[in-house]
Amino acid sequence: MRHPSRTRTRTRALLCGLLAAVLVALSPAAVSAEKKSFRIAWSIYAGWVPWHYIKESGLMKKWADKYGIEVEIVQINDYIESINQYTAGEFDGVTLTSMDALSIPAASGVDTTALLIGDYSNGNDGIVSKTATSIEQLKGTHIHMVELSVSHYLLARALDDAGLRERDVTIVNTSDADIVSAFQTRDVTTVVTWNPLLDEVASRPGSHRLVDSSSIPGHIKDLTVVNTDTLRDNPALGKALAGAWYEMMADLGADTETGIEMREFLGTVSGTDRAGYEAQLAGMHMFWKPTDALAFYTSEQAFGAMDSVRHFSFDHGLLGEGASDADFVGISFPDGKVLGDNGNIKLRFDTTYTQMAADGTL
């Protein structure tokens, strides 16, 4: 089974995001208020598929009932579409990478809060070549990948570290659904992709894994975000989501019968098996405990990573035509630091509910 992609069909996404922002502004629902029913969208990736377990196990209902609300967990097979629907106000929250949180809803004017950081890629994204054994040897070659995605970001960072620029290579936009088959052809020599596709192409005889995301720890983060206004008016949503998430995480990473059964279940949902899912988890730095996430939220590592991501996003036109520089969208952090325009903060990293989970007060 092919995983629904983290593909960035960027022109379509940005246009949809701008249209979504207009629709939200014109909608009566644009003014948030206290409510009792919420919808959270997710798409299949190792860091987000646990929401399916939370739904099917009854954990979500347990925590939602505790706070007198209803939370519907909805799988969307198209990753970009899930973000567009969130941006349009059809969902109260969505799972996505930090780069996409900035470049789609936040850049479209939808004030968004990163409620949960589940993990960051720590080897699950990588560059594989049949002909090159170093990044320097990629100069003058064609590289196949999902353009303007986290793969593109990883490549840009790797080239920069090697003293090269993007103009030194030719990027060929390739759907993640086609990456493996393309790499099997003679003409395609180098690809950039994510797991499980990464391990599949890297296992081909003669292939060389040049660089992976462990070289940029903290840069490719997997988030669960919610609409800031909705969260402000409905703190019960934040409490229920954080409570369900960290109860699930306590078991998912444990070497217990429950943990093994969970990983078996999530492997099947992900189109693989327990061993396959555990291999994907091994390529991620998981924040198993709320205290682990808290330490990262306020770290210089997290701050520096988002600074790099926002500059990449601006340089590649992902912040929209109205962005005059990388400061266009403000990004706030729990310790009071702000990147970009303090008067236009649209992406917020908030530890309120993670702190409650750590304190045992949920």
Side-chain angles (χ1 to χ4, degrees):
M1 167 182 168
R2 293 283 182 208
H3 283 223
S5 75
R6 289 189 286 174
T7 299
R8 285 51 163 185
T9 311
R10 301 311 313 199
T11 300
R12 173 173 172 266
L14 287 170
L15 288 174
C16 287
L18 290 172
L19 176 59
V22 172
L23 291 174
V24 169
L26 294 176
S27 169
V31 180
S32 294
E34 185 178 357
K35 58 181 188 175
K36 295 296 184 182
S37 181
F38 306 90
R39 302 175 77 221
I40 306 296
W42 68 278
S43 53
I44 288 186
Y45 178 66
W48 302 322
V49 73
W51 281 113
H52 186 63
Y53 177 85
I54 289 172
K55 173 185 177 180
E56 294 299 318
S57 66
L59 274 177
M60 191 69 261
K61 185 178 187 309
K62 168 189 169 181
W63 282 90
D65 286 350
K66 179 175 181 177
Y67 292 104
I69 61 175
E70 295 181 359
V71 180
E72 183 182 4
I73 306 297
V74 182
Q75 180 183 349
I76 303 294
N77 289 332
D78 185 301
Y79 170 73
I80 283 292
E81 184 59 26
S82 72
I83 304 173
N84 286 337
Q85 289 188 35
Y86 161 75
T87 304
E90 295 179 37
F91 287 92
D92 300 290
V94 69
T95 60
L96 75 180
T97 67
S98 52
M99 190 170 94
D100 288 328
L102 173 65
S103 64
I104 302 180
S108 299
V110 178
D111 199 323
T112 294
T113 293
L115 181 74
L116 298 166
I117 297 181
D119 66 89
Y120 63 73
S121 180
N122 197 37
N124 262 2
D125 298 76
I127 304 171
V128 177
S129 181
K130 301 173 193 171
T131 54
T133 57
S134 69
I135 295 296
E136 290 81 359
Q137 291 176 6
L138 294 178
K139 186 173 183 178
T141 67
H142 288 69
I143 300 176
H144 291 67
M145 65 182 186
V146 178
E147 192 174 11
L148 301 175
S149 69
V150 290
S151 293
H152 196 158
Y153 177 76
L154 174 63
L155 175 66
R157 288 294 305 247
L159 291 172
D160 186 64
D161 289 345
L164 300 176
R165 296 292 179 266
E166 288 184 48
R167 62 176 176 268
D168 293 322
V169 301
T170 300
I171 292 171
V172 182
N173 189 29
T174 307
S175 166
D176 61 322
D178 299 326
I179 285 285
V180 174
S181 59
F183 196 63
Q184 294 171 351
T185 66
R186 179 179 300 177
D187 294 337
V188 177
T189 59
T190 304
V191 298
V192 191
T193 189
W194 50 78
N195 266 328
L197 309 177
L198 175 63
D199 285 344
E200 192 168 350
V201 295
S203 67
R204 184 177 174 84
S207 297
H208 309 283
R209 192 182 304 223
L210 306 183
V211 170
D212 64 36
S213 52
S214 64
S215 66
I216 51 169
H219 286 245
I220 303 175
K221 295 182 284 294
D222 293 323
L223 311 176
T224 297
V225 306
V226 295
N227 181 282
T228 299
D229 293 337
T230 299
L231 181 62
R232 179 198 64 217
D233 294 337
N234 301 275
L237 175 62
K239 294 176 183 179
L241 291 175
W245 179 262
Y246 284 113
E247 182 171 344
M248 174 278 300
M249 288 288 275
D251 286 326
L252 180 61
D255 188 23
T256 61
E257 182 176 345
T258 299
I260 291 170
E261 290 177 354
M262 287 175 67
R263 296 190 294 275
E264 186 84 43
F265 172 78
L266 294 177
T268 300
V269 174
S270 301
T272 179
D273 54 18
R274 177 164 65 89
Y277 185 68
E278 289 175 344
Q280 292 178 48
L281 289 177
M284 301 153 66
H285 181 95
M286 302 295 295
F287 296 113
W288 298 113
K289 300 176 181 178
T291 50
D292 298 334
L294 286 172
F296 179 75
Y297 263 112
T298 56
S299 67
E300 285 298 323
Q301 179 187 30
F303 188 82
M306 282 310 300
D307 194 27
S308 176
V309 165
R310 75 189 184 107
H311 281 285
F312 173 89
S313 298
F314 172 72
D315 291 343
H316 292 79
L318 301 183
L319 299 185
E321 293 183 1
S324 58
D325 54 35
D327 287 337
F328 176 65
V329 179
I331 307 169
S332 67
F333 295 82
D335 55 5
K337 292 181 180 178
V338 172
L339 286 169
D341 187 353
N342 194 53
N344 187 40
I345 295 176
K346 297 299 179 184
L347 181 59
R348 306 167 192 268
F349 290 89
D350 187 347
T351 57
T352 300
Y353 300 96
T354 299
Q355 184 69 61
M356 293 177 71
D359 294 341
T361 57
L362 287 174

